[in-house]
Amino acid sequence: MKSPPLLSPCLSWKRMAGIFFLPFISSGFAPRFKQEENFMLGRAHPSQPRVSAVPPSPLPNPLSLSTFFPSPAPSRFNWSHLTPLELKNRSVGLGTESTGRGKPHFTLEGHKFLIFGGSIHYFRVPREYWRDRLLKLKACGFNTVTTYVPWNLHEPERGKFDFSGNLDLEAFVLMAAEIGLWVILRPGRYICSEMDLGGLPSWLLQDPRLLLRTTNKSFIEAVEKYFDHLIPRVIPLQYRQAGPVIAVQVENEYGSFNKDKTYMPYLHKALLRRGIVELLLTSDVLAAINLQKLHQDTFNQLHKVQPVRSRQPVNMENLPINNGSGQSYGLVLYEKSICSGGRLRAHAHDVAQVFLDETMIGILNENNKDLHIPELRDCRYLRILVENQGRVNFSWQIQNEQKGITGSVSINNSSLEGFTIYSLEMKMSFFERLRSATWKPVPDSHQGPAFYCGTLKAGPSPKDTFLSLLNWNYGFVFINGRNLGRYWNIGPQKTLYLPGVWLHPEDNEVILFEKMMSGSDIKSTDKPTL
């Protein structure tokens, strides 16, 4: 790649570091089958695998390691080295057994089986790198890969399902089998995994009466529809169907949540009646205590971006966009003409910049819900730009993670009405609309929130690289419509990982959303600063 890239500034408003939790095997969840001895072995291996370290992937949490240690015992064959393609005749899947004198152990086809498991989250790794990551896992001596299934990514809008591209679960599982890895599948509802809202779709927050992770009627209806699309894809991948999936997780870390005693039994039955026959497990942990100015007229460009006028402010999840599924990520701008000053009060989640016309006058957040507006000689536009900084992914707090303005906005206790609301969702379709806006050249620096576009020049065979934004302040970077993540000048991360497979030869579109003040350039570097 050429470094530094050429950036043409323009403006428009418009854990290999973590330990995987040891699954808890419930006798009520483990299906029992009659053991048979008609099996076929491909080959036997004389020794246990040697476990070694693997360099961490630059993407967040793509690979975490775990080891399950049942009691080893002498055997003619080492079943722990069998691969999905080697074991032909199958009748008894993964199970548990105890002789009464030793520790409980796993079995496969009735034989003691040692699981060396590591996690690779397919949705966090570019599809083009799946094989590389799986081969690395295999080379370390692991025989099993575990992966979550993120509900929020597979059903981004209510009733709209996506299992394509980087979300092709079946392709990932079959590739693991081809490479010689068994699979423990951890399908969502809730997956935690440092995901927004723990992997639950944000549109579930539209209805305040819907209780997440319970047998609440509205929540269960959503789960049932999701399972109706997901589980038929999983059925042919199971061990008994000659696939690599030897176990399926019922739910993730419900012990620390535990709001509904009937919830886990419901999920158990929901999986069984759809045809899941492999070992069912759960994973748990113990509960413990332990801007200033904007360029004139730039807000008007938002009219070319985005579907909303409302008498009262509407929170992000309830905006009438995305076929009624609301907005999941990004920012929301609320605009209202006012003719007097006073004490402004609003509940903004998570952080809001407040403007009079193009001049920023203060910040609102969960700890600061009040702001003084100076006396006005003429009517001015009150503009409140709210950023969703991510939803809690753990504990009962997930129930109250609506973003944007949640409630009324008032000045001197008088409620304001008649808002124009702009959705800045920061996904592919948003950037398609953004391109139709009028872009303007800007000076060396510009104060206030704005979009900046430029071109990143790459060679004929782009490679992985890292982007450095040394003199920018706070915002987001998008390459060809793909979100690389947030940058913030306080650190500690100073570079963003850019997979080479996301780059085009020659020209690549770079769009930055900067909240405070623009920088001058972006550089690519081979060495990350993390």
Side-chain angles (χ1 to χ4, degrees):
M1 297 192 60
K2 301 178 181 178
S3 177
L6 302 179
L7 182 65
S8 305
C10 350
L11 161 68
S12 175
W13 246 110
K14 303 253 211 226
R15 302 179 236 144
M16 197 160 171
I19 301 299
F20 179 67
F21 293 123
L22 180 66
F24 168 74
I25 308 297
S26 167
S27 59
F29 289 162
R32 299 172 181 172
F33 303 94
K34 182 179 178 181
Q35 296 187 5
E36 300 178 9
E37 293 299 328
N38 59 330
F39 52 84
M40 223 171 115
L41 293 177
R43 61 179 182 273
H45 295 258
S47 61
Q48 298 289 343
R50 181 180 180 86
V51 181
S52 58
V54 164
S57 167
L59 286 181
N61 295 327
L63 178 64
S64 59
L65 306 182
S66 62
T67 309
F68 303 82
F69 290 108
S71 301
S75 176
R76 181 179 178 184
F77 298 110
N78 188 340
W79 279 73
S80 303
H81 284 291
L82 285 174
T83 69
L85 299 182
E86 292 173 325
L87 190 58
K88 304 300 182 183
N89 297 333
R90 309 178 183 194
S91 58
V92 183
L94 187 68
T96 60
E97 188 175 302
S98 176
T99 61
R101 291 180 293 177
K103 295 181 180 179
H105 56 266
F106 289 112
T107 62
L108 190 66
E109 290 298 329
H111 295 261
K112 290 185 177 180
F113 185 71
L114 180 64
I115 299 177
F116 288 96
S119 288
I120 298 178
H121 303 159
Y122 60 95
F123 50 93
R124 282 177 161 142
V125 179
R127 180 170 181 158
E128 295 85 348
Y129 294 165
W130 284 355
R131 182 173 296 276
D132 172 78
R133 302 305 192 257
L134 289 168
L135 286 171
K136 283 182 168 69
L137 191 76
K138 179 72 172 176
C140 274
F142 293 92
N143 63 3
T144 303
V145 61
T146 74
T147 191
Y148 285 122
V149 182
W151 183 4
N152 58 341
L153 300 184
H154 285 297
E155 192 179 0
E157 299 176 17
R158 191 186 298 271
K160 181 179 179 180
F161 297 90
D162 185 2
F163 289 87
S164 63
N166 228 74
L167 297 175
D168 194 337
L169 168 65
E170 295 147 288
F172 178 81
V173 171
L174 291 173
M175 184 180 292
E178 176 191 342
I179 287 171
L181 294 167
W182 300 103
V183 176
I184 295 177
L185 201 62
R186 309 177 73 188
R189 289 88 29 232
Y190 173 82
I191 63 174
C192 189
S193 185
E194 290 65 57
M195 286 284 285
D196 189 81
L197 206 63
L200 296 169
S202 63
W203 47 259
L204 291 171
L205 297 173
Q206 291 179 327
D207 182 359
R209 297 167 298 179
L210 184 150
L211 301 178
L212 300 174
R213 304 184 75 192
T214 70
T215 51
N216 169 273
K217 183 175 182 292
S218 297
F219 183 69
I220 291 305
E221 287 177 351
V223 170
E224 291 283 348
K225 292 177 181 177
Y226 171 57
F227 272 4
D228 285 344
H229 283 79
L230 171 65
I231 302 305
R233 299 173 181 274
V234 177
I235 297 302
L237 303 175
Q238 294 183 102
Y239 174 88
R240 236 64 59 92
Q241 298 281 344
V245 175
I246 55 176
V248 176
Q249 180 169 272
V250 176
E251 174 66 304
N252 193 62
E253 299 171 354
Y254 197 70
S256 58
F257 195 82
N258 198 26
K259 293 291 182 179
D260 187 341
K261 293 182 179 179
T262 64
Y263 179 62
M264 291 292 282
Y266 154 72
L267 292 178
H268 176 216
K269 293 178 181 177
L271 292 171
L272 292 181
R273 73 170 179 264
R274 285 177 171 83
I276 297 296
V277 297
E278 305 307 334
L279 183 73
L280 296 179
L281 53 84
T282 185
S283 172
D284 248 311
V285 294
L286 296 176
I289 300 176
N290 288 307
L291 252 104
Q292 295 71 11
K293 272 199 170 182
L294 296 176
H295 191 276
Q296 185 176 4
D297 200 38
T298 53
F299 278 96
N300 293 336
Q301 297 297 327
L302 288 176
H303 289 282
K304 298 182 179 180
V305 182
Q306 190 169 18
V308 177
R309 299 186 184 274
S310 174
R311 182 177 179 182
Q312 294 289 338
V314 179
N315 63 21
M316 183 177 287
E317 295 78 11
N318 281 295
L319 288 175
I321 61 175
N322 293 325
N323 299 312
S325 295
Q327 178 178 338
S328 296
Y329 312 106
L331 300 95
V332 180
L333 176 69
Y334 300 85
E335 181 181 86
K336 168 75 173 75
S337 176
I338 61 173
C339 300
S340 63
R343 178 171 167 265
L344 173 71
R345 184 168 180 82
H347 293 258
H349 292 181
D350 293 299
V351 176
Q353 295 168 278
V354 182
F355 301 85
L356 280 180
D357 291 336
E358 288 81 34
T359 302
M360 184 172 135
I361 61 172
I363 298 288
L364 295 174
N365 54 40
E366 294 185 12
N367 299 317
N368 179 30
K369 300 178 174 63
D370 296 88
L371 185 67
H372 176 70
I373 297 179
E375 288 301 319
L376 305 179
R377 295 183 179 179
D378 302 303
C379 292
R380 308 276 293 275
Y381 274 110
L382 172 69
R383 287 159 171 152
I384 305 176
L385 179 66
V386 187
E387 179 191 357
N388 172 4
Q389 294 185 328
R391 296 179 181 85
V392 170
N393 73 322
F394 186 72
S395 85
W396 184 243
Q397 294 180 41
I398 63 174
Q399 187 69 47
N400 303 308
E401 281 297 282
Q402 292 84 2
K403 302 297 183 179
I405 293 180
T406 58
S408 63
V409 176
S410 64
I411 296 180
N412 294 335
N413 295 320
S414 178
S415 180
L416 300 182
E417 296 182 349
F419 284 84
T420 301
I421 306 173
Y422 304 95
S423 168
L424 286 71
E425 195 167 19
M426 310 299 198
K427 64 180 187 180
M428 286 282 196
S429 57
F430 171 83
F431 289 108
E432 291 172 2
R433 294 191 298 271
L434 185 64
R435 292 185 186 106
S436 66
T438 302
W439 295 87
K440 304 175 182 178
V442 293
D444 292 339
S445 65
H446 175 82
Q447 288 187 335
F451 288 95
Y452 299 83
C453 71
T455 301
L456 178 69
K457 297 285 188 180
S461 300
K463 305 296 183 184
D464 289 7
T465 188
F466 299 86
L467 294 187
S468 174
L469 300 98
L470 294 178
N471 51 8
W472 295 79
N473 289 274
Y474 179 99
F476 310 83
V477 181
F478 305 87
I479 300 290
N480 299 326
R482 294 181 181 269
N483 189 348
L484 298 189
R486 285 184 178 91
Y487 61 87
W488 198 356
N489 59 3
I490 67 171
Q493 179 174 306
K494 298 293 186 180
T495 57
L496 294 174
Y497 172 57
L498 174 54
V501 293
W502 289 358
L503 290 171
H504 307 315
E506 302 303 330
D507 292 351
N508 294 270
E509 177 192 67
V510 183
I511 293 181
L512 271 71
F513 178 76
E514 166 64 47
K515 289 183 63 174
M516 303 306 297
M517 180 180 290
S518 67
S520 58
D521 57 15
I522 304 174
K523 296 182 179 180
S524 62
T525 175
D526 293 334
K527 296 181 179 179
T529 304
L530 303 175

